[in-house]
């Protein structure tokens, strides 16, 4: 790995910062307002998803994969068996084939990578000085680093000669049933496919010929001393057969979505291995909880950032004297937090109030308590 650094200094006047901060007020207001429907939608989504999973958990029936009962069409079923195929998948770049459920090609290129670190310092009069250090190093990366966008030219990366790709078998069976492409794509138990030296003997990428380096097919002179533009490719497969567990609506001899009592759709679900229906629904409930908290954090973040952007002009004006500006900025942070947190809790409570009134009342009380405490502390500090 080669590393080097270059430093760039940027100055911004106080007037320019003020104009920019005034322009950000509108964005801040929009972020703040949009946070409310995002939070409300997130709670509605969580409640509906929980209701669908509860209905599915109560309705699901475990069936055999060896036969299909036409009388269960449209019902939610659970089954465990071996997914298998007779398809032969061939990678279009390497030309190597495998009898597998899935074949994945991962491509990495040795290239220049730019990283940056900035330090901003306030100056008397409201201006700022930003010192940015750009570091350039060489390393393997699966994503292309566009060197034309680098701050300093001279660290040139050639185009990526190949991209990653995943091929799925078209005909996959599970006993007497078949799996849809949607379910096949959920079988993610990949293992490395050992490079076939005969298959790669005549393969080239540009002017680079192929050789074997561990699990990789290497395109370059020396794997121990890679050069910018060298490429390494790894092939992985999902073996046939692979044991899987499925919860889905029965649709003839295959699977599809299941319609809940509330006329919503529960999508087909596959997990690798032997899992009971209860285990699979527990996992889906855990994922629902995680997604709910992610949306809550995003909503709070939108509200908080929106408030900070709205108060930004006050901070910039106070930055005429950096010490005062830092003090005002700290106050803006506290105000934004003190306003955003109770409003987030209140919005969450409103979103739940029609479904879980007891929890909603508790959240409203907590939000009101935080807001009351903040007001009380502010009055005490003034006194």
């Amino acid at each position: 790995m080669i590393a080097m650094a270059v430093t760039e200094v940027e100055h911004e006047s106080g007037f320019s910062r003020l104009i920019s901060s005034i322009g950000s007020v509108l964005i801040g207001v929009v972020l703040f307002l949009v946070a409310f429907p995002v939070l409300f939608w997130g709670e509605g989504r969580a409640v509906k998803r929980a209701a669908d999973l509860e209905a599915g958990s109560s309705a699901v029936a475990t069936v055999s994969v060896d036969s299909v009962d036409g009388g269960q069409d449209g019902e939610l079923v659970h089954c465990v068996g071996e997914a298998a195929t007779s398809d032969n998948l061939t990678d279009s770049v390497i030309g190597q084939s495998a009898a597998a459920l899935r074949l994945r090609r991962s491509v990495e290129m040795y290239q220049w990578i730019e990283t940056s670190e900035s330090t901003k310092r306030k100056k008397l009069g409201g201006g700022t000085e930003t010192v940015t250090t750009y570091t350039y190093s060489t390393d393997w990366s699966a994503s292309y680093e566009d060197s034309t966008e680098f701050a300093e030219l001279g660290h040139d990366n050639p185009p990526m000669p190949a991209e990653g790709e995943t091929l799925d078998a078209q005909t996959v069976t599970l006993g007497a049933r078949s799996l849809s492409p949607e379910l096949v794509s959920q079988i993610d138990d990949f293992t490395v496919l050992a490079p076939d030296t005969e298959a790669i003997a005549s393969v080239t990428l540009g002017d680079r010929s192929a050789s074997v380096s561990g699990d990789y097919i290497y395109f370059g002179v020396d794997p121990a001393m890679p050069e910018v533009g060298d490429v390494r490719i790894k092939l992985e497969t999902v073996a046939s057969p692979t044991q899987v567990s499925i919860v889905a609506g029965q649709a003839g001899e295959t699977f599809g979505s299941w319609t809940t009592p509330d006329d919503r759709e529960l999508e087909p679900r596959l997990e690798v291995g032997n899992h009971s229906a209860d285990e699979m629904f527990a996992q889906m409930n855990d994922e629902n909880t995680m997604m709910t908290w992610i949306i809550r954090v995003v909503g709070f973040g939108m509200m908080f950032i929106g408030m900070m952007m709205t108060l930004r002009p006050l901070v910039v004006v106070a930055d005429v004297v950096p010490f005062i500006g830092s003090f005002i900025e700290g106050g803006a942070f506290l105000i934004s937090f003190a306003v955003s947190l109770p409003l987030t809790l209140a919005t969450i409570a409103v979103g739940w109030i029609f479904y879980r009134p007891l929890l909603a009342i508790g959240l409203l009380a907590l939000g009101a308590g935080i807001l009351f405490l903040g007001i009380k502390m502010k009055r005490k500090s003034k006194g």
Side-chain angles (χ1 to χ4, degrees), residues 10-151:
E10 180 181 357
H11 299 275
E12 185 177 12
S13 68
F15 179 75
S16 176
R17 290 183 64 216
L18 181 60
I19 295 300
S20 177
S21 67
I22 292 174
S24 70
V25 170
L26 178 59
I27 300 175
V29 170
V30 171
L31 269 178
F32 184 83
L33 295 177
V34 170
F36 290 96
V38 167
L39 287 166
F40 187 83
W41 168 82
E43 298 310 309
R45 185 213 63 82
V47 171
K48 292 175 183 177
R49 179 66 173 173
D52 291 346
L53 294 177
E54 183 176 355
S57 180
S58 301
V60 68
T62 298
V63 299
S64 170
V65 298
D66 298 326
S67 61
V68 178
D69 181 357
Q72 292 182 306
D73 278 3
E75 295 183 9
L76 187 65
V77 297
H78 162 260
C79 57
V80 179
E82 291 190 332
T85 186
S86 58
D87 289 2
N88 208 43
L89 304 178
T90 302
D91 182 75
S92 60
V93 173
I94 302 303
Q96 187 169 340
S97 299
L101 298 172
R102 309 185 72 193
L103 173 64
R104 181 169 66 190
R105 178 179 70 242
S106 302
V107 182
E108 295 178 315
M109 186 171 75
Y110 198 72
Q111 51 190 310
W112 285 105
I113 298 174
E114 178 189 75
T115 57
S116 63
E117 183 177 348
S118 296
T119 302
K120 181 177 286 188
R121 184 171 66 88
K122 296 178 180 180
K123 302 179 67 178
L124 191 64
T128 60
E129 179 184 81
T130 303
V131 178
T132 304
T133 300
Y134 296 94
T135 302
Y136 298 90
S137 60
T138 50
D139 205 348
W140 293 101
S141 177
S143 58
Y144 179 64
E145 301 289 329
D146 187 356
S147 56
T148 63
E149 301 294 328
F150 288 173

Side-chain angles (χ1 to χ4, degrees), residues 102 168 174 178-188 244-249 254-256 267-271:
R102 309 185 72 193
D168 293 341
L174 184 70
S178 62
L179 298 187
S180 66
E182 179 184 1
L183 286 171
V184 174
S185 67
Q186 296 180 39
I187 311 176
D188 58 358
V244 298
S245 302
I246 290 177
V247 168
T254 186
F255 302 95
E267 70 284 355
R269 172 78 172 210
L270 180 149
E271 293 183 16

Side-chain angles (χ1 to χ4, degrees), residues 350-365:
V350 171
W352 278 74
I353 198 165
F354 298 106
Y355 306 97
R356 306 285 175 87
L358 292 179
L359 177 59
I361 292 172
L363 288 172
L364 284 170

Side-chain angles (χ1 to χ4, degrees), residues 302-323:
M302 291 173 64
M303 197 176 294
F304 176 79
I305 292 172
M307 278 291 296
M308 288 291 290
M309 294 178 72
T310 303
L311 297 173
R312 190 63 186 167
L314 297 177
V315 177
V316 173
V317 170
D319 272 344
V320 172
V321 180
F323 172 78

